[in-house]
Each structure stands twice: as structure tokens, then as C-alpha cells.
Amino acid sequence: MSGSRCQTLYPFTGERHRQGLRFDAGEVLTVLQVPDGGWWEGQKEDGLRGWFPASYVQLLEKPGMVPPQPAEENQTSFLPPGWQSYLSPQGRRYYVNTTTNETTWERPNGSPRTPSSPGTQRNFQPATVNGYHSSGTPVHQSEPVHMSLRKPTGDFQNPGSPSPGKKQSKESTITINCVTFPHPDTMPEQQLLKPTEWSYCDYFWADKKDPQGNGTVAGFEILLQKQLKGKQMQKEMSEFIRERIKIEEEYAKNLAKLSQNSLAAQEEGSLGEAWAQVKKSLADEAEVHLKFSSKLHSEVEKPLMNFRENFKKDMKKCDHHIADLRKQLASRYASVEKARKALTERQKDLEMKTQQLEIKLSNKTEEDIKKARRKSTQAGDDLMRCVDLYNQAQSKWFEEMVTTTLELERLEVERVEMIRQHLCQYTQLRHETDMFNQSTVEPVDQLLRKVDPAKDRELWVKEHKTGDIRPVDMEI
Amino acid sequence: MSGSRCQTLYPFTGERHRQGLRFDAGEVLTVLQVPDGGWWEGQKEDGLRGWFPASYVQLLEKPGMVPPQPAEENQTSFLPPGWQSYLSPQGRRYYVNTTTNETTWERPNGSPRTPSSPGTQRNFQPATVNGYHSSGTPVHQSEPVHMSLRKPTGDFQNPGSPSPGKKQSKESTITINCVTFPHPDTMPEQQLLKPTEWSYCDYFWADKKDPQGNGTVAGFEILLQKQLKGKQMQKEMSEFIRERIKIEEEYAKNLAKLSQNSLAAQEEGSLGEAWAQVKKSLADEAEVHLKFSSKLHSEVEKPLMNFRENFKKDMKKCDHHIADLRKQLASRYASVEKARKALTERQKDLEMKTQQLEIKLSNKTEEDIKKARRKSTQAGDDLMRCVDLYNQAQSKWFEEMVTTTLELERLEVERVEMIRQHLCQYTQLRHETDMFNQSTVEPVDQLLRKVDPAKDRELWVKEHKTGDIRPVDMEI
């Protein structure tokens, strides 16, 4: 995949990441490295290199499909106002009206409000709602939405008609805990960041009601709890292994002690040797189990216990950071609401003054209207600025969420892999223990095969005989 | 070997044995059965069947080598008085003068006191001392000695010359604790009953000085102590196994308990399954060790403990019987000594009276001498009868010792074999335990191979996600 080209889907500042690559949505990068873990290295057209989350880009299957950037810019520059040109994952160009969210495969020529809809290929036309396209076409969110934010500002000078932006907002978005989401009804096929991977960064933007019913839990908090629980599990496994170690040590101690027992120590000959080996084999078994417990300690218990010693602290830091961004988002949302209220008041004031003008035409009133209109425009600009700040905060939060959840994913994979490896090590040690244990019986078996009652008798008779002679009949 | 013929070496009464075959030394039997254990079944010429200790007979390598019994008797009947004819193990006939213990390959023709010594084959002539022949020729003990006991009786009528029997006894036998043995100096190559087998019945006729120095221990007592110690060893092994069982039960209990532990029970997904199997495998291990301990109990501990439950009682009975025979032997030895003393007195009296006769020849003295001679002859007959009784008692003791030690040998082989088998059973159970133990790890390994962080993440995300949507930039 290295050497391929990809198109960026979202703007990425990269500022919180060493060697992070800053880019806007829609840029084309050359992919340099694609190691596991979700972070790729890429190079921009201007030669700048850096790292970015793989989920921020869309691979271009055939690099040749993308026309050189200047050519595209040229094409874009000739589009009617409000229209943008994009590439489908298949490399086919299509057009999006960022104001009305209309899409078409054909290059629009008419006015932006009446784009020609795709003809014969209607079934395949990319559907887009509020910046999200159904699967099969690349996702464009930040860029188009930023566009839609700026376009309707002129409408504040035409207060009689409701602004398309506000109308659209009411219809297709909902706000949960100060965060604006697309309305579920309008998102039947929302494109996910990593649709095949069940990535954390796709499913934890919203908050969740606390199971106890009081308050809500942030999605990120749930992810974090998962990690902390994982850490806890790993610690508990380590404790479990420690208990096992204790059992093994106790067992080994008992076997070793019994091995020293003098029972039947006086058995003689080859049977005596075999019996002595039976007893010795218990000491061997004890050693095997001691070795098992000592290896369990060094190769399973300790690594499990020490893996990510400062994990909780790191997670807390991470949590604070996200929480701060979340707070900023909330305060900026409050500013937006305040500015929105101020604008409403200014508009009411302007409306009232306009009505007064209709009743009695005075010079002073006309100036009042001018002043009110200026203030209304100012309030509109304030709201715009507040929305801008809110959107900036959300963009930061978005980036932080994506990169952090990516990191959490990596950590989780690492944790599962680490535990898996150490449990494999555990079973490996168990296997070895059984094998070594079996080998302790081998010398016993050998000596048992050599047990020879005749030889034993010979040895015993030689040692204990009372003489070589047998009695003879007495003679007179 | 069944169907072979054998020659009996000692007389056997068989009276203490069910289906025992009674025979004298020198008879030829047809061997019917030769099972292990030292007892054979045989058939006499007259068709009588029965069992006898294999050590009482000498196999005739080729049955055809032995001439029919009547022919041999005919040959024997033509020998000069005092000579007997025997077959060497190679089937060659040789001749023994049972009075002088001279042997020759050639048939004696002259007077029994001057047999022709073997000529060119002097080096191969069978040497015989006091009824024992050096190895290579069959052993003849009881029969010749009984002969030598009877032959010299006439010498009591010739008191001037010392009786050859007494002279021989002084030179070539010693008496230890009332039992007459051949003198070691005259027995450089004493033939053993079962020379290749280090049989108990060959080496425990004499008594042994107690290690503490007070009194002596009968050879049979040593054999008996060996058996009782063997019984004790087997009991101690059983106790040892019981200790092992306790250790296994304790180990199994601890494993089972740990298996129930809830540590890390909340680990999820495929890793959670693998972990649950790790815990379950401890219960499996516990079961394996419980099974081990239960089989140790039923297949090793109990059989070892119960093998020969009444062994000590049986041994005591056996001991009493041999001890009784030993006492009888002692009392009969005392009778012999008493009769010997009486004979000496009678001979002194006769000598004195004969000297008196030389000094003054009186009619009364001559009658006294006749009377004294009669009494001396009577005392000689008494001694002869006492020796006969002693020899009978010793023969009984001999038979009892041989058959009992044979039984002890069989018991010892059986005991060693029994212990060997049960220790083999022990190692077999150990092997099985290790194998079963190994198999408890198998399902853990399988589940560990199936651990899949991606799948786990998918399941977890599906369950815990806060929504499918991602935030969008706010619009005015």
C-alpha cells in the first residue's frame, strides 16, 4: 500500500502529535508507511512529511485516477458558486452543491440554485445529507459544512424570509449535550470513519444516559472505563496466577517433605532401589512444580501485573484533556445560544421599528431603523463568530477524539495480545510441567523393570546367610 | 521338562503336604508338571502321583540313560557288601563304598575294604565326603549316612578298636546347637540343594550369634524376620501412598477452589472466553488429581495394605512348628548324649571286668564279663536307637525347613512381584495424570488461538456504543 495515494477526508491539525501532518480536507497525499496501529506516514505535494490517523483519509485505489491538483483547481474555479467537485472511491468525479447539498455526476453549468440532476445514472447518484454521503462516495463533512455556514450570512439583511441555514438546522440536526449531531431520520446510511472495523471513533460521539438515570455519561468516558476495566482485569488475572503459584508452592513443599519420609526405607535390593526412586521422584516432581511456580511468577504474574503501570494516570490525563475540550465546547455552545438570543432581540427590535416607520414616517425613525439594522447585522456577525468558535472547538474535540480513540484501540489490541501471549505462556508452562513431571517417572519405571526377586534374594542371602553347610545325620 | 525323569536326592515323606508324594532317596520319578514356585508333580513307577519340592530331585537329562530299576537292583545285589551303585548327572554309573566313602567308576570286585580305585580316569572320579559329593555328581546324603549308621554296629563287640563311625564323626562333623553339620574343613565343595538359585534352604541351617552377643538366632528365624520385615515394608509403602493421596486431595481442593474464584470474571469477548477456560481448566486439573488420588487409593494403597492380611499370624504358626521340631531335635540330641555316656560307662565297666578277669580267673567274673558285655551291647543298641530317633527328627526338620523355606521364597517372590506391579500401577497412574492434565490445557490453547481483538471490539462496540452518528459543525 506504501506508495499509494490517498485523499484526506477531514482537516487535521496534527498539532498535538509529534511529527503530525497538517492538512485540510480534500488534499491528496502519497502514503509512505502503513504500519499496524492506525497511524500512517504520508507526504504532501509540497514535500512535507508527517503522520496522520488512517481513518482521516480515503485510499485512491489507482493513483493515476486522480488528476493533478492544479487541473482540479482549475476545474473547480470554473464551477458556479456553491459547487464543489469531489472524487468517488472509484475515482469518478462528482459535484456537490454545498449550500443545498444537491449532488450530481454531471458538471453543473446553470445557477447554483437549480443544478441539473444526474440523468440516466440517477440510481447511482451519491446521496448526501448535511455533509454525509451514503457509502460508496467519499465523506465530506467539515469542508462543506464550513461552506454552508458562511454562505447564508447575507440573508440576515433579508429578515422577512427564514434563513436556509437555520431552517436546515431545525430539520436535519439535533443537539445533545451541546454537541450538534445529524438527525437520525436524515441519516439512514451514515458513513462511518472505519466502517469495516467497528472503530471506537465511529460510535462514541454522543453521550449516554447513566444506567442509574441521573445525568449522562460521555461516550469517551465509556471508552475510558473499558480501558480501566481492562487494566483491572489484567491485574486480577495476575492475582489469579499468584494464587495458582501459592498452590503450586504448597504442593511442591508437601511433595518434597513426603519425599524425605523414611517409610519403607529398609526395603532392600532392586525393589529397594526402585522404591527409593519412587520417593526421589516426588522430590523431582516437587522441583518441577517449584520451577513451574517460579516461571509463572517471572513470566506470567509479574508481566501481567506490571504491564502499563502508569496506565490509570495516563488515562486520567487523557480524560481531563478530552473533558476540557468538552467543557470548552459547552461554553462556546452557550455563547452561540446567547448570541442567537441577542440576534433574535435585535431582529424583533428592527421589525418593530420597521412597523413604526410604516405608521408615522419620521426622519428620526429612519435613522433608528438604520441603527437597528446595523445592530442586527452586528448581532448576526456575533452569532457567526460564536458559531465559528464553537465549530473550531468541535473540530479540535473531533480530532482529539479520533486520535485518542485510535490510541485506545491500539492499547486495547496491545492489551488483549499481551494477555493472550501470557496466557499462552501459562499453558506452555503447564505443558512443560506435565512433560517434566512425566520424565520424573521415567527413572522409576526403569528401576521397576530391573526389579529381580532372584537377584535380590541372592544379595540378601549372601549378606544374611548363617553358613554354607547343611546338617547331616548323626553317626555313632 | 514335563515328561522327563528325575532321581530323588533325599527321602521325602510328603505327609505335611496335601497331595505330597512320599519317596526315598534314589528313586526315579516321571515329571508331570513343573510350574513356577519350586513344587513339581511327579509319578512313581507304581503309578502313584503327587507333589514334591523340586530341590529334592535331580533331573535326568535323558530319561533313557537310567536303566530300569529292577536291572539296577540286580546289579546292586551282586556288588560286594557296603558298595552302592549311582548314576552321575551325565548318566554314567559309579560306585560308592558307603562305609569308607571310597568312590570308583569301575565296578568293585574285591573285598569292600579294598576297592579297586579308578585307573586312567582318576581325575574325574567323584569325590565324596560324608555323603556329599563334589559338584558334577548327584548328591547322596540320607541313604548312605543311614547305611553308615547301621554298618558299624557290630564293632561294639570289638571294643578294642575305635568304631569307624565314631572316629569319622569326630573328624568330619561338628555339632552346633544340637544339630550335626559336616566339618567345614572336610566340605570344600559342599553341594547345594539349588546351587544356581541362592535358595533360602541352602544357607540357613546353622544358627547365628545374636548381634547383641546374647544367645543365638536360628537361621529360620532370620528368614522369618525377613518375611515380617517385607510385610512391614509393604505396609509402610501403603502409608506413603496414603500421604501422597492426601497431598493430591489437598492440591485438587485448592485448584477447584481457585477455579471458582471470580477474579477477572468480567473480561469480555473471545479473550474472556479463553480466560474462563483457563479457570475451568483448573477445575479439570483438580478432577484429574482427584481421580489420581482415588485410583491411588483403590489400585495401590489398599492392595498394598491388604495384601496378606493374616501374614504375621501365618508366619507365627509356621515359626512355632519349626521351633517345635527344633526342640524335639534338641531333646533327642540330649537322649543321644545320655545314651552315649551310658555306653561309655558300660564299656568302662566291661574293660574293668576284663582286666579283673586277667588278674584272677573266676567263674563269677566270667559271668560278670558276659553280663557287662551284654549290657554294653544293650547300651550300644540304645545309643543306636537314640541316634536313629535323632536322625528321624532331623529328617523331619530338614523336610520342614526345605519345604517351608521354599514357601518363603515363593512368598517373597510373590511379595516383590506384587509390590513391583503396584508401583508400576502407581507410575502408570502418574503417567495418565500427566496426560489427562495435559489434555485440560488443550481447550485453553484452542480458545487462546481464537482470541481476536477485532471481533472482541466489534461485540463490545455493538453493546456499548452511544450511537451511530458523529457530530456535525453547527450552522446558524
Side-chain angles (χ1 to χ4, degrees):
Chain A
M1 213 186 292
S2 168
S4 302
R5 297 221 281 167
C6 62
Q7 192 163 30
T8 62
L9 302 175
Y10 321 100
F12 180 64
T13 63
E15 61 196 11
R16 285 185 49 80
H17 310 278
R18 267 201 286 179
Q19 300 183 295
L21 185 65
R22 181 188 194 97
F23 49 72
D24 288 323
E27 291 190 38
V28 173
L29 309 174
T30 306
V31 181
L32 300 175
Q33 283 193 65
V34 288
D36 286 340
W39 285 81
W40 292 0
E41 192 187 16
Q43 186 168 30
K44 289 168 82 166
E45 302 269 315
D46 58 7
L48 208 65
R49 287 169 171 223
W51 292 81
F52 55 91
S55 51
Y56 268 63
V57 301
Q58 174 79 36
L59 260 185
L60 300 170
E61 287 178 317
K62 288 177 185 172
M65 288 288 188
V66 188
Q69 206 66 22
E72 192 192 5
E73 271 166 12
N74 287 347
Q75 278 184 310
T76 310
S77 62
F78 285 104
L79 285 172
W83 286 92
Q84 295 264 331
S85 142
Y86 296 103
L87 283 177
S88 78
Q90 287 74 33
R92 188 158 173 220
R93 185 165 299 282
Y94 67 98
Y95 303 89
V96 178
N97 183 311
T98 54
T99 310
T100 62
N101 281 318
E102 278 182 72
T103 57
T104 173
W105 293 108
E106 283 171 59
R107 188 181 179 85
N109 291 317
S111 98
R113 300 281 156 145
T114 55
S116 70
S117 62
T120 51
Q121 293 160 320
R122 182 172 292 270
N123 286 335
F124 299 95
Q125 85 179 63
T128 172
V129 186
N130 201 23
Y132 291 92
H133 304 266
S134 65
S135 63
T137 60
V139 179
H140 307 269
Q141 172 204 4
S142 312
E143 194 69 14
V145 172
H146 275 288
M147 292 298 281
S148 73
L149 181 70
R150 281 161 217 288
K151 290 295 166 205
T153 49
D155 290 339
F156 289 118
Q157 288 160 339
N158 181 17
S161 68
S163 83
K166 275 187 100 172
K167 189 186 169 197
Q168 191 181 27
S169 173
K170 273 180 195 153
E171 279 171 351
S172 62
T173 68
I174 50 169
T175 300
I176 303 169
N177 276 321
C178 316
V179 182
T180 310
F181 293 94
H183 196 282
D185 295 342
T186 66
M187 295 274 120
E189 294 184 273
Q190 182 182 12
Q191 177 76 31
L192 300 175
L193 282 170
K194 297 168 92 179
T196 57
E197 288 194 25
W198 289 90
S199 183
Y200 290 164
C201 65
D202 279 325
Y203 298 97
F204 294 91
W205 298 102
D207 296 347
K208 201 174 195 174
K209 272 210 171 162
D210 197 281
Q212 277 84 44
N214 35 12
T216 56
V217 184
F220 183 75
E221 182 68 20
I222 291 172
L223 286 175
L224 205 78
Q225 289 307 327
K226 159 86 172 157
Q227 296 310 305
L228 293 177
K229 187 175 141 194
K231 168 74 180 161
Q232 177 63 21
M233 290 303 102
Q234 147 211 333
K235 267 184 68 182
E236 288 187 14
M237 285 177 190
S238 174
E239 281 167 39
F240 187 92
I241 298 295
R242 194 183 314 140
E243 290 303 312
R244 174 75 199 235
I245 289 170
K246 279 187 205 160
I247 292 175
E248 291 300 316
E249 284 172 347
E250 173 84 7
Y251 185 57
K253 202 186 77 188
N254 288 335
L255 286 179
K257 196 176 150 200
L258 181 55
S259 166
Q260 296 297 313
N261 191 306
S262 66
L263 282 168
Q266 295 170 55
E267 184 61 72
E268 290 161 321
S270 55
L271 181 63
E273 280 171 42
W275 175 248
Q277 189 61 43
V278 166
K279 289 166 111 183
K280 191 185 168 304
S281 78
L282 261 67
D284 296 343
E285 275 188 73
E287 212 174 306
V288 167
H289 282 272
L290 264 190
K291 202 172 168 187
F292 177 43
S293 69
S294 126
K295 283 198 166 187
L296 271 185
H297 174 66
S298 62
E299 295 175 19
V300 184
E301 183 210 344
K302 250 173 108 174
L304 277 174
M305 185 53 84
N306 297 341
F307 184 69
R308 294 181 184 160
E309 272 178 295
N310 301 318
F311 186 70
K312 200 164 179 177
K313 226 165 70 190
D314 294 349
M315 281 297 110
K316 285 279 172 226
K317 242 188 273 176
C318 179
D319 189 30
H320 284 313
H321 188 67
I322 294 269
D324 287 348
L325 288 176
R326 199 73 171 65
K327 261 182 221 160
Q328 196 183 39
L329 199 61
S331 88
R332 291 194 176 173
Y333 182 77
S335 304
V336 167
E337 288 305 298
K338 201 175 152 195
R340 200 192 296 280
K341 210 176 273 172
L343 174 62
T344 310
E345 270 167 31
R346 290 294 159 203
Q347 280 180 324
K348 258 188 207 156
D349 185 43
L350 174 63
E351 211 167 330
M352 194 181 70
K353 292 213 167 119
T354 308
Q355 280 170 358
Q356 280 173 354
L357 178 69
E358 279 166 10
I359 296 164
K360 48 170 181 170
L361 191 80
S362 79
N363 213 15
K364 200 183 170 234
T365 312
E366 262 183 49
E367 261 180 33
D368 273 2
I369 290 174
K370 269 186 192 167
K371 206 175 161 189
R373 192 184 298 272
R374 208 163 49 242
K375 278 187 178 168
S376 172
T377 305
Q378 209 170 19
D381 287 348
D382 275 357
L383 174 58
M384 230 166 63
R385 203 169 48 250
C386 283
V387 167
D388 240 7
L389 284 171
Y390 170 87
N391 281 344
Q392 274 170 31
Q394 182 173 282
S395 184
K396 260 194 191 173
W397 177 64
F398 185 88
E399 183 177 325
E400 196 62 28
M401 279 285 279
V402 170
T403 55
T404 307
T405 53
L406 210 64
E407 177 67 7
L408 291 185
E409 253 175 52
R410 192 188 64 75
L411 287 173
E412 176 65 2
V413 170
E414 194 181 71
R415 184 188 76 92
V416 169
E417 192 49 40
M418 184 279 301
I419 290 176
R420 199 188 68 80
Q421 271 172 18
H422 285 94
L423 294 184
C424 280
Q425 185 59 22
Y426 165 80
T427 63
Q428 178 62 27
L429 289 175
R430 277 275 289 100
H431 271 302
E432 280 176 16
T433 300
D434 290 332
M435 256 167 39
F436 288 141
N437 232 8
Q438 223 153 11
S439 71
T440 65
V441 187
E442 197 43 53
V444 180
D445 277 335
Q446 274 173 17
L447 286 177
L448 281 174
R449 276 193 291 273
K450 283 186 193 157
V451 166
D452 179 355
K455 200 183 129 209
D456 284 6
R457 192 172 58 229
E458 178 180 339
L459 290 172
W460 185 80
V461 166
K462 274 184 181 170
E463 195 182 334
H464 295 92
K465 65 181 176 179
T466 61
D468 287 332
I469 47 176
R470 283 200 312 290
V472 289
D473 280 356
M474 192 189 282
E475 296 167 40
I476 300 166
Chain B
M1 213 186 291
S2 168
S4 303
R5 297 221 281 167
C6 63
Q7 191 163 31
T8 61
L9 303 175
Y10 321 100
F12 180 65
T13 64
E15 61 196 11
R16 284 186 50 80
H17 310 278
R18 266 202 287 180
Q19 300 184 294
L21 185 65
R22 180 188 195 97
F23 49 73
D24 288 323
E27 291 190 37
V28 173
L29 310 174
T30 305
V31 181
L32 300 176
Q33 283 193 64
V34 288
D36 285 340
W39 285 82
W40 291 0
E41 193 188 17
Q43 186 167 29
K44 289 169 81 166
E45 302 270 313
D46 59 7
L48 208 64
R49 287 169 169 223
W51 292 81
F52 54 90
S55 51
Y56 268 63
V57 301
Q58 173 79 36
L59 261 185
L60 300 171
E61 288 179 315
K62 289 177 184 170
M65 288 287 187
V66 188
Q69 206 65 21
E72 193 193 5
E73 271 167 12
N74 286 347
Q75 278 183 312
T76 310
S77 64
F78 286 104
L79 286 172
W83 286 92
Q84 296 263 330
S85 144
Y86 296 104
L87 284 177
S88 78
Q90 288 74 33
R92 189 160 172 219
R93 186 164 296 283
Y94 67 99
Y95 303 89
V96 179
N97 184 311
T98 54
T99 310
T100 63
N101 281 319
E102 277 181 76
T103 57
T104 174
W105 292 107
E106 283 171 58
R107 187 181 181 83
N109 292 317
S111 99
R113 300 283 156 141
T114 54
S116 70
S117 61
T120 51
Q121 292 160 323
R122 182 171 292 271
N123 286 335
F124 299 97
Q125 84 179 66
T128 172
V129 186
N130 201 24
Y132 289 93
H133 304 267
S134 66
S135 63
T137 60
V139 178
H140 307 268
Q141 172 204 4
S142 311
E143 194 68 14
V145 172
H146 275 288
M147 292 297 283
S148 72
L149 181 71
R150 282 162 215 289
K151 291 294 164 205
T153 50
D155 291 338
F156 289 118
Q157 288 160 336
N158 182 18
S161 66
S163 84
K166 275 188 100 172
K167 189 186 169 197
Q168 192 181 26
S169 171
K170 272 180 195 153
E171 280 170 350
S172 61
T173 69
I174 50 168
T175 301
I176 303 168
N177 275 323
C178 315
V179 182
T180 309
F181 292 95
H183 195 282
D185 296 341
T186 66
M187 294 276 120
E189 294 184 272
Q190 183 182 12
Q191 177 77 32
L192 300 175
L193 283 170
K194 297 168 92 180
T196 56
E197 288 195 24
W198 289 91
S199 182
Y200 290 163
C201 66
D202 279 326
Y203 298 97
F204 294 90
W205 298 102
D207 295 347
K208 202 174 195 174
K209 271 207 173 166
D210 197 281
Q212 278 83 43
N214 36 12
T216 57
V217 184
F220 183 75
E221 182 68 20
I222 291 172
L223 286 175
L224 205 78
Q225 290 307 327
K226 159 88 173 156
Q227 296 311 305
L228 293 177
K229 188 176 140 194
K231 168 74 181 161
Q232 177 64 20
M233 290 303 102
Q234 148 211 333
K235 266 184 69 182
E236 288 187 16
M237 286 177 190
S238 174
E239 280 167 39
F240 188 92
I241 298 296
R242 195 182 315 140
E243 290 303 312
R244 174 76 199 235
I245 289 171
K246 279 188 205 159
I247 292 176
E248 292 300 316
E249 284 173 347
E250 173 84 7
Y251 185 57
K253 202 186 77 189
N254 289 335
L255 286 179
K257 197 177 150 199
L258 181 55
S259 166
Q260 295 298 312
N261 190 306
S262 67
L263 281 168
Q266 295 169 56
E267 184 60 73
E268 290 161 320
S270 55
L271 181 64
E273 280 171 42
W275 175 249
Q277 188 62 44
V278 166
K279 289 166 111 183
K280 192 186 168 303
S281 78
L282 261 67
D284 296 343
E285 275 188 74
E287 212 174 307
V288 167
H289 282 272
L290 264 190
K291 202 172 169 188
F292 177 44
S293 69
S294 126
K295 282 198 167 187
L296 271 185
H297 174 66
S298 62
E299 295 175 18
V300 184
E301 183 210 345
K302 250 173 109 175
L304 277 174
M305 184 54 84
N306 297 341
F307 184 68
R308 293 182 186 160
E309 273 178 294
N310 300 318
F311 186 70
K312 200 164 178 178
K313 226 165 69 190
D314 293 349
M315 281 298 110
K316 285 279 173 226
K317 241 188 272 175
C318 179
D319 188 30
H320 285 312
H321 188 67
I322 294 271
D324 286 348
L325 288 176
R326 199 72 171 67
K327 261 180 220 160
Q328 194 184 40
L329 198 61
S331 88
R332 291 195 177 173
Y333 181 78
S335 305
V336 167
E337 287 305 297
K338 200 175 152 196
R340 200 191 297 279
K341 210 176 274 173
L343 173 63
T344 310
E345 270 167 32
R346 288 296 158 202
Q347 280 180 324
K348 257 187 209 158
D349 185 45
L350 175 62
E351 210 167 330
M352 195 182 70
K353 294 221 166 113
T354 307
Q355 279 170 358
Q356 280 174 353
L357 177 69
E358 279 166 10
I359 296 164
K360 48 169 182 170
L361 191 81
S362 79
N363 212 15
K364 198 181 171 234
T365 312
E366 261 184 49
E367 260 180 33
D368 273 1
I369 289 174
K370 268 186 193 165
K371 205 175 162 188
R373 192 184 297 272
R374 209 164 48 242
K375 278 187 177 167
S376 171
T377 305
Q378 210 170 20
D381 287 349
D382 274 357
L383 174 57
M384 230 166 62
R385 205 171 47 249
C386 284
V387 168
D388 242 7
L389 284 171
Y390 170 87
N391 282 344
Q392 275 170 30
Q394 181 171 284
S395 184
K396 260 195 190 170
W397 176 65
F398 185 88
E399 183 177 324
E400 196 62 29
M401 280 285 280
V402 170
T403 55
T404 307
T405 53
L406 210 64
E407 178 66 8
L408 291 186
E409 254 175 52
R410 192 188 64 74
L411 287 173
E412 175 66 2
V413 170
E414 194 182 72
R415 184 188 75 93
V416 169
E417 193 49 39
M418 184 278 301
I419 290 176
R420 198 187 69 79
Q421 272 172 17
H422 285 94
L423 293 185
C424 281
Q425 185 59 22
Y426 166 80
T427 63
Q428 179 61 28
L429 289 175
R430 278 274 289 98
H431 270 302
E432 280 176 15
T433 300
D434 291 331
M435 256 166 41
F436 288 141
N437 233 7
Q438 224 153 10
S439 70
T440 64
V441 186
E442 198 44 53
V444 180
D445 277 335
Q446 275 173 17
L447 287 177
L448 281 175
R449 276 193 292 274
K450 283 185 194 157
V451 167
D452 179 356
K455 201 183 128 208
D456 284 7
R457 191 172 60 230
E458 178 180 340
L459 290 172
W460 185 80
V461 166
K462 275 184 179 170
E463 194 181 337
H464 295 91
K465 65 180 177 180
T466 61
D468 288 332
I469 48 176
R470 284 200 311 289
V472 289
D473 280 356
M474 193 187 281
E475 297 166 41
I476 301 166

